[in-house]
Amino acid sequence: MSASPTLAIAPTASAGLDLARIRAEFPILRQRVHGKPLVYLDNAASAQRPKAVIDAISECYSTYYANIHRGVHLLSERSTAAYEGAREKVRAFLNAASVQEIIFTRNTTESINLVASSFGGSTVKTGDEIVITGMEHHSNIVPWQLLCERTGARLKVAPFTDAGELILDEYERLLDSGRVKLAAFVHLSNALGTLNPVQRMIELAHARGIPTLVDGAQSIPHVAVDVRALDCEFYAFSSHKIYGPSGVGVLYGKQALLEAMPPYQGGGDMIRLVTFEKTEYADLPNKFEAGTPNIAGVIGLGAALDWVNAIGLDAVAAHEHELLDYATAQLQEIPGLKIMGTARDKAALAAFTIQGIHPHDIGTILDREGVAIRAGHHCAQPVMQRYGVPATARASFAVYNTRDEVDALVKALWKVKELFE
Amino acid sequence: MNDLRDLYQEVILDHNKRPRNFRILPQPTHHADGVNPLCGDRISVFLDIEDGIIRDIAFQGAGCAISSASASLMTEALKGKPVAEVEHLFEAFHNVVTTDCECPRGLGKLGVLAGVRDYPSRVKCATLAWHAVRAALERHAEPVATE
Ligand SMILES: Cc1ncc(COP(=O)(O)O)c(C=O)c1O
């Protein structure tokens, strides 16, 4: 991965995107809510799906669905081929060395829990430490807290500045204790929009022999990820944030580590041989995929990655960056509005508060104007506590958003002001 | 904008801006916190109860306009009332914010929150303070959640 892929591109590069055509591929965007055209700016919570993804899922169920890895019949063979084909697409998307390093889960949360439970459970002992950052989503906090409770290890939190930038020196200092067993951190913060210097963070950890996990839930649709260039031990993301179906997640893990780790769940598909005395586990990746997976969902994720590749993540990132700049400039014109998260390296979302108006009220009023945003703590309550606010409003962008939609957002925000004057 | 005015009525905006009984009672006979897990909003209610009558009631906390105004209006409605009436009022209020019922006259100003019924995701905001009061009366030590 290049050092800062999002920012390396001039904003004008987005001129290459045919937005009308892209939007036409998303059936859900063609609707009115409360009598107004839908302006969907809650993409950081979950993106929408293009027709190619919906069709891939529908085709699976209509023509060739069967359980995988166990049938000798044609449908099972076809389903298995499509499912494993999607694994290869994920491998290529992340530039992983082997499909054995790609584990399908339910979501980012489960991917992280898998590592906490299996890797953490087998390597972390009393007195050890796990390092995270202060801007983590709850799903990269709570699994480690549970692990610490079970093992007597301690969680160490690297702080960030008022602008929302990680304090790298503090992070490095925490790594120096000699007791750290893993550093786990978010690539792109869902509460602040901060793009963390993950390449550097991984290098700093590796210099001390510490393995790393990157929470890629937000970065995956915005930043080109090359796990071999990053050299992280684990990378986790969710299908539903990159135009794929919900209910599917991915855990990338380096093969040697995954091989050494005990299984996460037991059951069918993850075994080689079961007797009542002893069970031999299956090889990777099946060892970590117990039970019947979300077959059509995984196939849908494959279709989503094809779709993103056809447009090109660099073009997507450039377009979103231009939208973010455009939105940021206009939001700053609104009296009393404060943007939370002003890191130099930032992508895809603007979180903000308005003096004297609770984000929930902003969200409700915007909804009546057709504008869907998220209001709340964004599953990052420690970030809210850091800034002393209960919640924020957040507009987050995807490839199909337009400048007109930013205008609609801003216009609706002026209405909020008017109503509360 | 008009239907938004049904939700954000003048009375609500006024109580949001200048909440009544917004303070701490130093020695309440009853006290509880309410938390809305959806947004993390937290409200504390304090009651002074003597001979089965709510002599004083107050609240503290940060919340949206709906939850702040509802808490403020609730304290006005409950001050001086017998404890035995709280459940009746709560039931009537809950009906008003969740169903299409006629607003009973006994509810008085609380009726301005009827607009919430068209915003199902906001019902919890309107009932948060009430849940806290009911918990205080049952003397819950733990903060109550709206779900
Ligand atoms: C940074 C980050 N990490 C983890 C998650 C959890 O993702 P999921 O709910 O798909 O498991 C999210 C989702 O919002 C996120 O933004």
Side-chain angles (χ1 to χ4, degrees), chain A residues 385-412:
Chain A
Q385 288 150 14
R386 163 76 172 71
Y387 289 101
V389 298
T392 64
R394 179 187 70 189
S396 53
F397 305 108
V399 60
Y400 40 69
N401 290 124
T402 65
R403 278 173 167 251
D404 287 350
E405 291 183 306
V406 172
D407 292 341
L409 164 72
V410 171
K411 198 166 147 224

Side-chain angles (χ1 to χ4, degrees), chain A residues 119-139:
Chain A
F119 173 81
S122 58
T123 52
V124 174
K125 304 274 177 296
T126 308
D128 288 345
E129 293 170 354
I130 308 288
V131 169
I132 61 172
T133 79
M135 63 178 95
E136 301 304 322
H137 187 279
H138 294 166
S139 70

Side-chain angles (χ1 to χ4, degrees), chain A residues 194-398:
Chain A
T194 305
L195 264 172
N196 276 316
V198 285
Q199 184 88 65
R200 183 87 190 110
M201 294 170 78
I202 293 163
E203 281 165 14
L204 289 170
H206 284 180
R208 294 155 180 85
I210 300 165
T212 54
L213 175 144
V214 183
D215 171 356
Q218 288 299 332
S219 44
I220 200 73
H222 307 295
V223 181
V225 171
D226 179 335
V227 289
R228 269 188 284 179
L230 281 176
D231 202 28
C232 55
E233 277 59 35
F234 302 104
Y235 199 96
F237 74 90
S238 299
S239 155
H240 68 95
K241 311 250 194 212
I242 182 160
Y243 314 108
S246 60
V248 175
V250 169
L251 174 68
Y252 158 82
K254 281 188 183 168
Q255 185 156 350
L257 272 168
L258 291 176
E259 271 168 1
M261 283 158 54
Y264 171 51
Q265 294 176 330
D269 270 342
M270 53 73 72
I271 48 87
R272 181 181 292 135
L273 178 74
V274 177
T275 66
F276 283 113
E277 286 70 44
K278 186 180 178 320
T279 292
E280 277 178 39
Y281 304 123
D283 288 334
L284 292 175
N286 303 42
K287 179 169 96 177
F288 289 106
E289 292 183 10
T292 302
N294 186 347
I295 299 166
V298 164
I299 292 166
L301 169 61
L305 298 182
D306 284 345
W307 187 85
V308 169
N309 281 332
I311 295 176
L313 212 44
D314 287 348
V316 172
H319 168 63
E320 289 164 349
H321 202 71
E322 186 191 307
L323 281 181
L324 181 60
D325 282 348
Y326 183 66
T328 303
Q330 292 202 58
L331 290 174
Q332 279 165 342
E333 305 265 298
I334 298 172
L337 187 147
K338 198 160 167 265
I339 292 181
M340 211 173 81
T342 49
R344 272 158 302 170
D345 264 3
K346 199 181 159 184
L349 66 91
F352 57 88
T353 56
I354 301 180
Q355 176 75 37
I357 309 178
H358 192 281
H360 257 193
D361 297 312
I362 299 174
T364 291
I365 297 165
L366 260 51
D367 175 54
R368 292 285 149 154
E369 297 298 319
V371 182
I373 60 148
R374 173 98 183 254
H377 54 61
H378 317 289
C379 299
Q381 285 183 330
V383 175
M384 304 299 122
Q385 288 150 14
R386 163 76 172 71
Y387 289 101
V389 298
T392 64
R394 179 187 70 189
S396 53
F397 305 108

Side-chain angles (χ1 to χ4, degrees), chain A residues 21-67:
Chain A
R21 213 208 72 223
I22 288 172
R23 290 184 67 79
E25 293 187 54
F26 288 80
I28 204 168
L29 298 179
R30 271 176 247 149
Q31 68 178 298
R32 299 173 85 80
V33 295
H34 306 300
K36 308 271 168 60
L38 168 66
V39 174
Y40 189 78
L41 297 176
D42 194 19
N43 297 287
S46 210
Q48 300 296 350
R49 286 109 205 83
K51 193 147 179 310
V53 171
I54 300 167
D55 287 350
I57 295 167
S58 166
E59 192 203 348
C60 169
Y61 283 132
S62 320
T63 64
Y64 66 88
Y65 175 83
N67 211 329

Side-chain angles (χ1 to χ4, degrees), chain A residues 34 36 356 358 360-362 364-365 368-369 375-377 381 390-391 415-416 418-421, chain B residues 1 3-5 7-8 13 16-17 37-41 62-66 118-119 122 125:
Chain A
H34 306 300
K36 308 271 168 60
H358 192 281
H360 257 193
D361 297 312
I362 299 174
T364 291
I365 297 165
R368 292 285 149 154
E369 297 298 319
H377 54 61
Q381 285 183 330
K415 284 207 169 148
V416 173
E418 195 185 313
L419 195 76
F420 270 78
E421 282 306 58
Chain B
M1 203 69 171
D3 54 345
L4 278 168
R5 284 276 177 213
L7 178 63
Y8 294 105
L13 294 173
N16 174 48
K17 230 179 222 162
L38 182 70
C39 54
D41 282 353
C64 63
I66 304 302
D118 293 328
Y119 299 78
R122 303 305 297 276
C125 309

Side-chain angles (χ1 to χ4, degrees), chain A residues 168-205:
Chain A
L168 216 49
D169 288 348
E170 294 284 328
Y171 165 77
E172 195 172 356
R173 200 177 53 76
L174 290 179
L175 296 178
D176 270 334
S177 74
R179 293 184 291 268
V180 180
K181 284 288 149 66
L182 183 80
F185 40 82
V186 68
H187 194 164
L188 168 50
S189 156
N190 68 311
L192 301 166
T194 305
L195 264 172
N196 276 316
V198 285
Q199 184 88 65
R200 183 87 190 110
M201 294 170 78
I202 293 163
E203 281 165 14
L204 289 170

